[in-house]
Amino acid sequence: ARANALRTATADIVEAVPVAQVGNIDKNLLHEVATPRTSTLYLNTRSGPFADPALRAAARNAVDPAALIKTVFEGHADSPVGLLGPAVPWAAELRAWKKETYPGASGADATGKVPGATATGTVPAGTAITLSSYTDRPELGEMVPLLAQQLEAAGFKVTQDVREYNQIESEALAGKFHAVLVSRSTVLDSGDAVAYMTADFSSSGSYSMSGLHDEKVDAAISKAAATQPGDERHKAIMAAEQAILVTGAAIPLAHERVIQGEASGVTGAERDPNERALITSATTVKK
């Protein structure tokens, strides 16, 4: 409906044009903005197969983000360099592997590996897992069968469970699934990644779908939280990101972009990475 409204000029500004509709719209009307939102696969470390770090590493190695970006996002997403993507501009220069894609096999930097990265395990035959996600963001639902194929190729037996978000949230937080695919804002409402890392990956996290309890991760997040804003806090955040990735509890798949539609007579529309502002006092529409 949004795409049709833009094509027929019945809407002046259209928020979040679906990727599947991009090819049917005049490219001059579309504007892509990198967002601080990452599609991430959370692995349940509390119980089941992914309580074993070696099987988490096996799953991490099995996933091919490039294929997902090409097929599902049709190229309209950025390759995963970590938890924090290009919309967080200071992150790339402070992480060990700079702007390179976060490699599934080892979280490698220029020398080949992140210290402490988990070893890859052989998947025992018939290892059954449940992969869940939600339909509220169409791309997630489309990614699930492709992810399932990738994991099955590594030896996992995958059951898919895709529903509306409000139907899976409580179960996901309770650890009912072995793997949950989510689209997560990495700076939340505060604009600071520490809040996101605390909620998702600390032992006391309120949004811990992976159920991670790791002393090194807790210490890294606590250090970042206690550091004053500025360069040193950024460095501490990136150290926490690396500590989280090494556990294999979260597998970043794609840094998302928002595709905004603007009719030809529109000027001054806000292109907000945080998807909050669209129209300001500078926005004009010429009919």
Side-chain angles (χ1 to χ4, degrees):
R2 280 174 285 172
N4 284 334
L6 186 62
R7 280 195 295 266
T8 59
T10 55
D12 298 304
I13 299 176
V14 176
E15 183 182 19
V17 175
V19 168
Q21 293 293 321
V22 167
N24 300 323
I25 300 173
D26 181 350
K27 64 181 181 180
N28 294 318
L29 304 181
L30 300 176
H31 307 274
E32 290 190 46
V33 182
T35 71
R37 181 175 285 279
T38 301
S39 294
T40 306
L41 184 65
Y42 287 68
L43 303 183
N44 183 355
T45 66
R46 288 168 283 197
S47 61
F50 294 131
D52 181 350
L55 288 184
R56 296 200 296 270
R60 182 181 61 197
N61 293 354
V63 169
D64 181 3
L68 297 172
I69 290 172
K70 179 180 179 181
T71 304
V72 177
F73 291 96
E74 300 181 19
H76 299 283
D78 293 297
S79 298
V81 291
L83 298 172
L84 308 181
V88 185
W90 47 264
E93 296 305 319
L94 294 177
R95 63 168 54 96
W97 48 91
K98 303 296 182 184
K99 298 180 181 179
E100 298 301 317
T101 299
Y102 168 66
S106 61
D109 61 14
T111 64
K113 67 171 60 177
V114 166
T118 50
T120 303
T122 300
V123 180
T127 299
I129 61 172
T130 300
L131 169 61
S132 180
S133 191
Y134 46 94
T135 57
D136 306 55
R137 287 184 174 266
E139 289 80 12
L140 296 183
E142 293 175 21
M143 289 171 74
V144 167
L146 297 177
L147 269 176
Q149 290 176 13
Q150 293 175 358
L151 291 166
E152 286 170 346
F156 293 99
K157 183 178 179 181
V158 183
T159 298
Q160 303 173 37
D161 188 344
V162 180
R163 291 176 268 159
E164 291 183 0
Y165 179 79
N166 61 9
Q167 295 175 345
I168 72 157
E169 183 187 52
S170 60
E171 293 179 57
L173 292 174
K176 300 296 184 182
F177 309 116
H178 300 111
V180 185
L181 175 62
V182 301
S183 173
R184 194 75 168 115
S185 173
T186 58
V187 293
L188 299 179
D189 294 331
S190 66
D192 182 72
V194 173
Y196 146 72
M197 291 179 174
T198 300
D200 288 32
F201 303 112
S202 72
S203 295
S204 59
S206 60
Y207 197 78
S208 183
M209 290 190 177
S210 63
L212 184 64
H213 287 257
D214 186 284
E215 291 182 357
K216 292 182 179 178
V217 170
D218 286 345
I221 293 174
S222 295
K223 180 179 179 180
T227 304
Q228 292 296 313
D231 291 343
E232 291 305 310
R233 187 178 180 91
H234 290 166
K235 291 177 184 178
I237 288 171
M238 299 317 297
E241 180 200 57
Q242 180 167 311
I244 293 163
L245 291 174
V246 162
T247 69
I251 305 172
L253 301 177
H255 300 303
E256 300 175 24
R257 305 174 194 162
V258 63
I259 304 174
Q260 185 167 308
E262 299 171 18
S264 57
V266 173
T267 58
E270 189 75 12
R271 297 168 189 169
D272 181 11
N274 294 310
E275 302 177 77
R276 293 174 181 163
L278 282 171
I279 299 169
T280 71
S281 59
T283 307
T284 61
V285 180
K286 183 179 180 181
K287 295 292 188 179

